[in-house]
């Protein structure tokens, strides 16, 4: 078997964050606190998400224009239409959209950091595995056992696996 690791040069070197359990829990608590402060958040069903009006990027302009026209033409606004609530909803929409942008940027940064840390961990683990393989050829104590435990955890790719996959596809 051939072990293949796609090497990509990342724009950082030796990323070291130094988190500990206390700091991790602080971050989780801060997120929980934010969720509690935003108790008004809703969870739409897939059907509700699918069946809503979609104005896209034009929505804020449409909202603003409707408010402006309602203010300029009060005779067009019936007494049962809650103008103040409408204006507050538009303001809330804008504020929540701004928050969403920040949360999305944070989520992207966290995902990228997790990927970067995974890559560093993979490189270090592979280096250790290779050291164990070398040590096992020289009969160092524990090296063969370490290789035996790590080897099944490796992703196997290469010519044999590719040929087997090609044969399976031909029989389909």
């Amino acid at each position: 078997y051939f072990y293949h690791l796609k090497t990509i040069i990342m724009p950082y070197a030796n990323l070291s964050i130094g988190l500990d359990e206390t700091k991790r829990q602080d971050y989780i608590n801060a997120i929980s606190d934010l969720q509690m402060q935003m108790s008004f958040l809703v969870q739409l069903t897939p059907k509700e998400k699918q069946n809503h009006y979609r104005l896209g990027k034009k929505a804020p302009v449409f909202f603003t224009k409707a408010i402006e026209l309602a203010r300029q033409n009060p005779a067009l606004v019936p007494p049962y239409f809650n103008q103040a609530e409408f204006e507050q909803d538009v303001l809330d929409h804008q504020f929540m959209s701004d928050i969403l942008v920040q949360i999305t940027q944070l989520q992207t940064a966290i995902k990228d950091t997790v990927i970067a840390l995974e890559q560093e961990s993979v490189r270090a683990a592979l280096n250790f595995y290779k050291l164990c393989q070398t040590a096992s050829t020289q009969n160092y104590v524990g090296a063969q056992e370490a290789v035996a435990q790590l080897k099944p955890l490796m992703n196997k790719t290469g010519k044999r696996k590719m040929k087997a996959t090609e044969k399976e596809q031909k029989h389909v």
Side-chain angles (χ1 to χ4, degrees):
Y1 291 98
F2 295 95
Y3 298 99
H4 175 72
L5 175 65
K6 186 175 181 179
T7 303
I8 298 175
I9 305 299
M10 298 280 187
Y12 56 85
N14 298 322
L15 182 61
S16 181
I17 299 173
L19 287 178
D20 59 17
E21 181 58 31
T22 302
K23 195 63 175 170
R24 183 189 74 84
Q25 194 59 50
D26 288 346
Y27 290 142
I28 289 172
N29 290 341
I31 292 166
S32 293
D33 289 346
L34 183 59
Q35 288 174 319
M36 285 192 303
Q37 290 176 28
M38 301 175 96
S39 60
F40 54 82
L41 294 175
V42 298
Q43 300 229 341
L44 299 176
T45 66
K47 189 173 184 177
E48 290 170 326
K49 291 177 187 179
Q50 184 180 11
N51 294 330
H52 74 280
Y53 290 113
R54 290 173 177 78
L55 294 176
K57 293 180 180 180
K58 294 181 180 181
V61 175
F62 180 72
F63 302 154
T64 303
K65 186 52 101 174
I67 289 171
E68 178 186 318
L69 291 172
R71 285 179 182 165
Q72 291 173 359
N73 301 289
L76 296 176
V77 180
Y80 57 83
F81 182 78
N82 190 336
Q83 178 75 19
E85 180 68 23
F86 168 52
E87 291 183 22
Q88 185 62 53
D89 286 346
V90 171
L91 191 60
D92 291 343
H93 175 268
Q94 180 57 51
F95 291 160
M96 292 304 296
S97 295
D98 294 344
I99 292 168
L100 179 60
V101 168
Q102 294 297 310
I103 294 290
T104 301
Q105 289 172 351
L106 178 62
Q107 181 183 19
T108 299
I110 290 171
K111 281 182 177 181
D112 290 349
T113 303
V114 167
I115 290 168
L117 290 167
E118 181 179 11
Q119 290 305 303
E120 286 197 4
S121 298
V122 165
R123 279 193 291 277
L126 283 174
N127 284 337
F128 175 73
Y129 179 69
K130 289 175 187 175
L131 290 170
C132 290
Q133 285 179 315
T134 302
S136 71
T137 63
Q138 298 173 8
N139 295 322
Y140 277 93
V141 176
Q144 289 180 348
E145 178 62 27
V147 170
Q149 289 183 35
L150 291 173
K151 188 173 185 176
L153 302 174
M154 300 285 294
N155 284 334
K156 296 177 182 175
T157 60
K159 293 180 182 179
R160 287 185 184 176
K161 187 172 182 179
M162 287 173 38
K163 286 181 182 178
T165 304
E166 289 172 6
K167 286 179 185 179
E168 289 174 313
Q169 288 177 350
K170 286 180 183 178
H171 292 291
V172 174

